[in-house]
Amino acid sequence: MFGETSYELFINGMWRAASDGKKLPLINPATEQVFGQVASASVSDLDEALASAECAREAWAALPAGDRGAILVKAAGILKDKIDAAAKSLSREQGKTIAEAKGEYERAVETLEWNGQLAENLSKPIPMGPGRMIVPEGIGVVAAFTPWNYPAVLNARKLAAPLAAGCPVILKGAEETPSAAVFLVQSLQEAGIPVGVVNLVFGVPAQISEHLLASTVVKVLTFTGSTGVGKQLAKLAANNLQRCVLELGGHSPVIVCEDADLAKTIPLIAEYKFECAGQSCNAPSRVLVARPLYNEFVARMTETVSKIRIGAPEDPSTEMGPMANARRVEAMERLTKDAVDRGAHVEIGGSRLDRPGFFWPPTILTDVPADSKVLKEEPFGPILTVESFDTLEEAILRANTTEYGLASYFFTSSPDITLRLVSALAAGAVSVNYLKGVSADAPNGGINQSGYGYEGGELGLRSFQNLKLINGMGSFG
Ligand code: NAD
């Protein structure tokens, strides 16, 4: 027994402990104290989840799409009523503030609703001309693996689109932040999702993914996490030719052009960068500022960042909580030390806070040499590098220099520069004078080492359909 809070597996319509009784501890990142436990699935639990999902597959796919959608919309309403309790649990296990957790749950509700409302339309046959059409069909059982940074909205994305498309889901929630998956699955259960259509497991990630992807029952892998793990999973999926949707890392540039309005630019960058202690794959992490604005930008950004209130996530006055786990703080230490050893300058932050918990302050690094690790590896934390540029071509070159291609941002008041940058920046999403998380209605997908496939929007739902081409209808005489 690790503490009073306990989360179980959901297999074949039943909440239960692992068959061998194994559990993993839950740690509060703000205190480093163990406060609970989550069940850790055995191989026989996984086999039961596979059998249960396969057994539910045909009936779920055969249910009218509007009825499937109605269950999702109903679950959205049920989840909405649970937001206060769910946000509290998420904040305690992840470290994000209660306000951030509530905002995330609102996006999760919207995701369930949006996909529910779309289910019927996107399941209709698509006419192709005389005698021909495309019939969308649910592809089959989906294995979905989610991370710990935005577990409410990411679990909602991983569940909503396949369920709307007619596919059962075996969800492996993040072991460090299990409550969001539990709240979502409970909402679906209360909304009347049939037995076996959703199975929820936690456990040893590598064992779970290896076992599930070795089964031909699974037809699609959808994963959000690091590029390294994504590649390992894609190799496993290749053995059974399972379709993959891989939402992987990012290292997003922000170009601040000479004509940008710093009064608007700086608060927008600071707000999005330091949300969830910088642990977002889409967060801006490398700022490139036109030389005439550089000194003013650094001074004003440093001042803005110095005012961010760091503290216990449940304290309503806190603006940034701890990082989610000890691994992230170690990564911040390693990346900062490497940059400083190579000659970078720390404008603010730069060392772990002297208090219990995984607290790393907002950090700004300047004069960062190009070969520093922080400019190459995804920092996934509250570290922002700022560099200057002289020409737009130079900015584009440096913006596109990492192996990632998830999101790119820029600030300008020029339509000509906008057109040039929209086409030149190599990323799945490019935003001008705008920084926000992904929305339910938009396809989110990276290029290069940020992954492939789309999640969200209509394309996100299509990721879980086979498009069956029908020829010769009406050729009977
Ligand atoms: P990690 O790569 O080991 O794990 C990331 C997530 O993937 C975790 O939730 C983990 O449970 C899961 N995972 C790991 N191995 C798995 C496997 N074999 N099968 C299935 N799931 C598996 O690293 P971490 O220390 O937890 O996170 C740090 C790195 O992960 C960051 O540097 C960042 O690049 C990446 N990350 C990305 C996102 C994102 O939104 N794209 C989210 C969280 C983490």
Side-chain angles (χ1 to χ4, degrees):
M1 185 73 177
F2 299 109
E4 82 284 8
T5 303
S6 195
Y7 297 108
E8 297 188 302
L9 313 173
F10 185 67
I11 296 178
N12 206 30
M14 302 275 288
W15 291 98
R16 61 168 181 78
S19 60
D20 58 8
K22 283 213 173 109
K23 293 167 185 168
L24 298 165
L26 296 175
I27 297 169
N28 180 333
T31 61
E32 300 177 51
Q33 301 296 310
V34 173
F35 68 91
Q37 62 247 305
V38 58
S40 177
S42 66
V43 164
S44 81
D45 294 326
L46 299 176
D47 284 338
E48 270 188 60
L50 283 163
S52 166
E54 178 59 10
C55 188
R57 181 178 56 81
E58 261 188 51
W60 182 243
L63 199 68
D67 294 359
R68 292 197 301 262
I71 293 178
L72 287 175
V73 172
K74 190 169 175 197
I78 293 169
L79 183 64
K80 201 170 183 173
D81 291 339
K82 297 179 192 279
I83 284 186
D84 284 347
K88 218 168 139 190
S89 300
L90 172 54
S91 170
R92 180 168 62 160
E93 63 198 21
Q94 205 281 339
K96 64 180 64 189
T97 64
I98 300 275
E100 287 174 337
K102 282 187 181 171
E104 191 191 331
Y105 265 106
E106 275 156 23
R107 286 169 59 207
V109 167
E110 185 191 313
T111 301
L112 292 178
E113 248 168 20
W114 193 87
N115 282 279
Q117 285 161 358
L118 205 68
E120 190 168 8
N121 252 343
L122 285 197
S123 301
K124 284 183 183 152
I126 306 162
M128 289 275 295
R132 306 180 77 204
M133 65 172 128
I134 291 168
V135 177
E137 292 180 343
I139 185 169
V141 175
V142 173
F145 306 138
T146 52
W148 41 261
N149 57 339
Y150 285 87
V153 76
L154 292 175
N155 283 323
R157 288 166 81 86
K158 293 278 183 265
L159 287 164
L163 292 177
C167 304
V169 182
I170 302 175
L171 175 67
K172 186 196 86 60
E175 289 68 27
E176 288 158 320
T177 57
S179 69
V182 169
F183 273 102
L184 271 150
V185 172
Q186 278 171 349
S187 302
L188 286 162
Q189 187 188 14
E190 287 167 35
I193 197 110
V195 168
V197 173
V198 173
N199 287 273
L200 172 64
V201 295
F202 303 99
V204 179
Q207 280 173 16
I208 293 180
S209 49
E210 225 165 276
H211 195 75
L212 294 183
L213 295 174
S215 165
T216 51
V217 162
V218 172
K219 303 297 183 212
V220 189
L221 154 71
T222 173
F223 170 72
T224 299
S226 61
T227 298
V229 172
K231 286 183 182 178
Q232 287 169 27
L233 296 179
K235 282 181 195 157
L236 292 175
N239 290 329
N240 285 319
L241 289 180
Q242 283 136 339
R243 189 184 290 179
C244 297
V245 179
L246 299 173
E247 297 290 339
L248 308 178
H251 200 340
S252 304
V254 191
I255 299 175
V256 180
C257 299
E258 195 176 338
D259 60 357
D261 177 355
L262 289 190
K264 288 187 186 147
T265 304
I266 287 175
L268 282 177
I269 296 178
E271 190 184 333
Y272 193 40
K273 169 66 200 175
F274 299 107
E275 180 187 305
C276 193
Q279 300 159 115
S280 158
C281 51
N282 283 297
S285 43
R286 300 175 288 134
V287 189
L288 303 156
V289 186
R291 193 172 299 279
L293 293 187
Y294 178 75
N295 287 338
E296 188 187 349
F297 181 93
V298 172
R300 288 173 68 174
M301 181 57 101
T302 304
E303 198 202 339
T304 301
V305 159
S306 71
K307 292 182 184 148
I308 294 176
R309 284 191 298 272
I310 303 165
E314 69 277 12
D315 179 341
S317 69
T318 296
E319 291 172 320
M320 192 179 108
M323 303 202 75
N325 53 54
R327 300 187 300 285
R328 291 321 310 143
V329 175
E330 282 154 21
M332 297 307 102
E333 267 160 358
R334 182 175 57 77
L335 293 174
T336 304
K337 181 172 182 320
D338 172 79
V340 169
D341 286 351
R342 290 172 200 266
H345 180 66
V346 179
E347 299 288 340
I348 190 166
S351 56
R352 184 177 182 162
L353 296 188
D354 185 16
R355 58 181 285 174
F358 307 127
F359 286 93
W360 184 272
T363 295
I364 296 179
L365 301 177
T366 53
D367 300 325
V368 182
D371 57 354
S372 301
K373 289 186 175 139
V374 71
L375 289 180
K376 295 182 177 156
E377 275 178 43
E378 177 179 36
F380 217 67
I383 297 182
L384 194 63
T385 65
V386 187
E387 46 192 310
S388 60
F389 67 85
D390 291 305
T391 65
L392 203 56
E393 276 53 47
E394 186 192 342
I396 292 167
L397 200 69
R398 281 201 259 151
N400 288 343
T401 199
T402 72
E403 61 179 9
Y404 300 104
L406 198 57
S408 292
Y409 308 93
F410 61 93
F411 286 84
T412 183
S413 47
S414 156
D416 288 345
I417 291 177
T418 298
L419 287 179
R420 170 92 183 91
L421 288 179
V422 160
S423 107
L425 291 172
V430 176
S431 306
V432 51
N433 302 326
Y434 175 90
L435 285 153
K436 275 237 169 80
V438 290
S439 57
D441 62 347
N444 183 40
I447 61 170
N448 300 329
Q449 303 297 301
S450 292
Y452 47 73
Y454 290 95
E455 191 172 67
E458 292 191 10
L459 282 176
L461 199 150
R462 294 269 186 234
S463 299
F464 302 97
Q465 289 178 330
N466 285 326
L467 299 180
K468 185 184 269 179
L469 175 64
I470 313 292
N471 294 307
M473 292 293 281
S475 58
F476 314 117

